[in-house]
Amino acid sequence: MVFLYTTDRIKMGWHEFKDVDFFCNKFSDDLYNKRVLGVLQCLPENLKLSSFANGSERGDDMENNYRGVWTKEVKTRIAIQGLKEKYKCYSGQLSEEYVEARVEELIKIGELDHNSVDMSCFRNCEWLYDLIWYKESDAECYMITDFELAMESEWSYDRNEAKIKGVPYAAVKYDFQKLVVSTARINVLIFRERNGMRVVWPLTEFSKYVENQLMYAKGFGRFFLFVAYNTNMESFKFSLYKT
């Protein structure tokens, strides 16, 4: 495992989920590290389509399966993690009924305690980002006091603009820019690794782009967690940066 860690910054390469436990033991020294690790640990090691549902609700083609079933599962897990941390959570395309049903399932199998999640803190609504954790003042309306996490999920590779045709991970980079300008302490980007028979875009090249872009990120002590889904292995890889 190759990584660089100092008290102020983290810059690490891409790792398989089998490395998560080592990583958690190494970097669980403060509250924010633990929250980042909580997000990482709540993701499924293997995300097989058949494990959750069939793709008929969003179409049978593979692209809709990514956008529908898999995105829904990942969002649900991160939303529930935020509720466990006592944050309010906004996330589009997740019904309150669906999230509540998943909470009940986790309670039944002992992964959640009763009363550990307040469903009134969840809303099926996108606000600026695909998913956010936040807190607000009890004394004044529309007064955010803590913006803890922002997440973007992008399963497409390309954008339709002619000038960027063929730019590796163009759609992913477009969404990543939103996280760069956010003020969230934890920023999560979930996307699909391009490793098909005809086209391969190495994650190492994407990492070079990330390092260059993060030079313009404002603020110190911000975490950027990248999670890339490998369609051949049906599993995730992850990488983490701390500014």
Side-chain angles (χ1 to χ4, degrees), residues 32 35 87 133-136 144-148 185:
Y32 288 103
R35 286 199 177 138
Y87 282 92
W133 298 355
Y134 74 103
K135 290 182 179 179
E136 60 185 355
I144 289 181
T145 58
D146 188 3
F147 185 21
E148 181 70 355
R185 187 70 179 268

Side-chain angles (χ1 to χ4, degrees), residues 35-70:
R35 286 199 177 138
V36 173
L37 299 176
V39 172
L40 192 56
Q41 288 176 307
C42 78
L43 295 173
E45 180 176 356
N46 294 297
L47 190 54
K48 300 180 189 296
L49 186 64
S50 59
S51 300
F52 307 110
N54 65 52
S56 59
E57 61 178 338
R58 295 290 298 275
D60 293 328
D61 61 284
M62 187 61 73
E63 185 71 19
N64 279 336
N65 286 338
Y66 287 126
R67 293 175 182 273
V69 180
W70 293 351

Side-chain angles (χ1 to χ4, degrees), residues 214-227:
L214 287 181
M215 293 173 61
Y216 300 95
K218 303 296 184 182
F220 294 101
R222 296 179 61 203
F223 293 88
F224 291 84
L225 176 63
F226 300 89
V227 182

Side-chain angles (χ1 to χ4, degrees), residues 192-203:
R192 183 167 45 129
E193 180 181 3
R194 188 155 199 177
N195 59 342
M197 295 293 291
R198 292 177 296 175
V199 181
V200 176
W201 289 343
L203 289 175

Side-chain angles (χ1 to χ4, degrees), residues 162-191:
K163 65 179 181 179
I164 57 172
K165 284 287 187 180
V167 173
Y169 296 111
V172 180
K173 292 174 179 177
Y174 182 85
D175 274 12
F176 176 53
Q177 294 176 108
K178 303 175 191 177
L179 298 177
V180 172
V181 300
S182 88
T183 60
R185 187 70 179 268
I186 301 170
N187 301 271
V188 183
L189 181 66
I190 296 177
F191 63 101

Side-chain angles (χ1 to χ4, degrees), residues 39 76-89 131-133:
V39 172
T76 300
R77 290 175 183 239
I78 295 179
I80 292 173
Q81 183 67 20
L83 296 175
K84 284 171 60 180
E85 295 280 356
K86 308 305 179 186
Y87 282 92
K88 294 186 175 182
C89 179
L131 184 149
I132 63 169
W133 298 355

Side-chain angles (χ1 to χ4, degrees), residues 18-33:
K18 61 183 177 61
D19 298 326
V20 167
D21 289 341
F22 173 86
F23 183 73
C24 290
N25 291 332
K26 184 73 176 177
F27 301 119
S28 59
D29 58 336
D30 66 41
L31 174 63
Y32 288 103
N33 282 2

